Amino acid sequence: LTSKMASSQDDSSAGCRHSDCPSLSARRVVTSAARERWKLLGRALKQRATNGKVEAVSVRRFESFGLLKTRKPRPEDSVLTEGEESNKEDAKWFEYSCDLVPNFKMDIRQLCGSFTYEALIGFNNTGNVCIWPSEEVLTYYCLKNKDIFRNQRVCELGGGMTCLAGVAVAIASAAEEVVLTDGNEKSVENVDQIIEKNSPLVGDTQVSCQVLKWDDQGQLDRLDSGFDHVICADCLFFDQYRQSLVDCIHRILKPNGVATIFAPHRNQTLEDFCRLAEPFFRVVTVENYEQVIWALHLKLQTEDRDRYNPDIHYPVRLTLTKR
């Protein structure tokens, strides 16, 4: 790793304060290059489009830390939700479980097959393509620390097509309320079906989903200063939305409310976000926050270097406490 590593061995150890980044000019060159690569990908997708659709594409090589178990449900266990009966889009259900929580399971609907080119390049639709390592780690962390959400109002921001961590919190934590959000309508439609499927498992927790774009004041008004905890995974890398995300979190959190964010350094975009957040929050970052994940991270660096790039695959834990 190019950044300084924290030496803690468990969740209770010290974090490190955000520090200054490398030279801005060097980073601008890299950011510009990355932007050009995304433009090239967009043009390639458009050229490959057939009847307005392209196959689902993932630019990642490393896929998972293996923290959650998945299996396809048996045919006799498959029951269509109301949304599926009227919408025949290509999707598959998977049952997720985790050894941390005995008897825990959740049914997750993942979109697959084809997407329209317009959908892929619309408002941040990356969450419709796959489940990213940061989302997996956030889910594992929330399950391991589920008691911190008990009787709390929780909101997941930018949860993508599954809002995996938020659904886990709704099922396992006895939270008072969980609101699952994403800026993409296709994602939220899918999450609505996931909520319906898992409704027998959430107990007394109120669970809902809605489209939330971080700079939409009308949408933010409905959530104003109402949440004890915000959770978020890998949402820091779009330059044009970073300040809006800071403002959104500050707007919807109660005083002294906490946001738990997992995201990789990703070419210093995490540090950019921290710098924007510091005037409004107490900001703490921790690299080594959980023994199992840290051990996997070290192992992957030596045994899977061709696929595993810590800068884009290893999620750092970022905690924001509203001032």
Side-chain angles (χ1 to χ4, degrees):
L1 286 171
T2 58
S3 58
K4 184 178 180 181
M5 312 301 286
S7 60
S8 62
Q9 293 300 313
D10 56 35
D11 295 340
S12 63
S13 56
C16 56
R17 294 292 299 175
H18 165 63
S19 58
D20 291 337
C21 311
S23 74
L24 184 59
S25 59
R27 288 181 43 247
R28 281 175 177 163
V29 171
V30 180
T31 301
S32 177
R35 189 175 293 114
E36 290 303 315
R37 286 195 294 271
W38 278 106
K39 288 179 181 178
L40 287 171
L41 174 60
R43 287 196 291 269
L45 289 172
K46 193 170 185 178
Q47 291 169 1
R48 290 175 55 188
T50 304
N51 297 325
K53 291 188 175 182
V54 295
E55 293 303 307
V57 175
S58 173
V59 297
R60 62 183 182 167
R61 291 171 296 173
F62 172 74
E63 295 188 355
S64 171
F65 288 97
L67 301 170
L68 307 173
K69 294 180 179 179
T70 62
R71 74 170 183 89
K72 293 182 180 179
R74 297 169 299 181
E76 58 268 29
D77 294 336
S78 300
V79 178
L80 290 178
T81 64
E82 290 183 8
E84 285 180 305
E85 290 174 353
S86 60
N87 184 355
K88 302 299 183 182
E89 67 186 347
D90 194 0
K92 293 180 181 179
W93 285 97
F94 294 87
E95 182 185 281
Y96 279 71
S97 60
C98 182
D99 291 339
L100 287 173
V101 183
N103 302 318
F104 167 81
K105 66 175 184 177
M106 56 183 174
D107 292 318
I108 299 297
R109 185 175 187 264
Q110 294 179 206
L111 302 177
C112 51
S114 301
F115 301 99
T116 64
Y117 172 72
E118 288 75 15
L120 277 172
I121 64 171
F123 182 87
N124 187 8
N125 202 29
T126 56
N128 272 341
V129 177
C130 55
I131 291 174
W132 299 92
S134 290
E135 187 175 6
E136 175 196 16
V137 169
L138 176 62
T139 303
Y140 182 88
Y141 180 85
C142 288
L143 287 171
K144 184 171 184 178
N145 299 278
K146 57 186 173 55
D147 289 342
I148 68 174
F149 304 109
R150 183 180 296 274
N151 299 322
Q152 302 282 290
R153 297 189 67 225
V154 183
C155 180
E156 180 170 12
L157 298 178
M161 67 173 172
T162 67
C163 287
L164 195 70
V167 174
V169 169
I171 292 172
S173 73
E176 176 186 334
E177 181 183 10
V178 177
V179 178
L180 311 174
T181 73
D182 192 73
N184 185 276
E185 292 184 5
K186 188 178 183 71
S187 291
V188 174
E189 289 170 2
N190 192 63
V191 172
D192 190 50
Q193 295 188 48
I194 293 172
I195 292 174
E196 179 185 344
K197 185 84 164 181
N198 290 280
S199 58
L201 304 176
V202 301
D204 296 329
T205 300
Q206 300 178 47
V207 188
S208 62
C209 63
Q210 65 184 69
V211 174
L212 177 62
K213 296 181 180 178
W214 303 326
D215 58 354
D216 189 314
Q217 297 305 312
Q219 294 174 353
L220 287 171
D221 285 342
R222 297 196 297 269
L223 301 174
D224 198 14
S225 298
F227 292 94
D228 303 286
H229 214 119
V230 166
I231 57 176
C232 184
D234 206 356
C235 290
L236 312 184
F237 56 90
F238 282 114
D239 294 343
Q240 64 269 41
Y241 299 129
R242 203 170 292 127
Q243 182 65 61
S244 296
L245 178 57
V246 171
D247 296 341
C248 173
I249 295 171
H250 189 264
R251 177 82 175 269
I252 69 176
L253 273 179
K254 293 179 179 178
N256 297 312
V258 175
T260 299
I261 300 170
F262 281 86
H265 286 286
R266 201 184 292 277
N267 193 36
Q268 298 291 325
T269 56
L270 184 144
E271 284 76 10
D272 288 344
F273 178 84
C274 289
R275 192 163 36 247
L276 293 173
E278 282 183 334
F280 309 100
F281 301 93
R282 295 191 299 274
V283 179
V284 177
T285 59
V286 181
E287 300 267 0
N288 182 1
Y289 44 82
E290 206 282 332
Q291 291 183 8
V292 171
I293 298 171
W294 185 252
L296 289 168
H297 165 62
L298 296 178
K299 182 178 180 181
L300 286 164
Q301 288 185 90
T302 58
E303 298 183 9
D304 203 1
R305 287 179 295 179
D306 290 340
R307 293 192 311 141
Y308 182 69
N309 179 352
D311 186 61
I312 61 175
H313 294 135
Y314 182 72
V316 176
R317 190 185 77 193
L318 174 60
T319 303
L320 310 181
T321 304
K322 186 173 178 178
R323 295 185 187 277

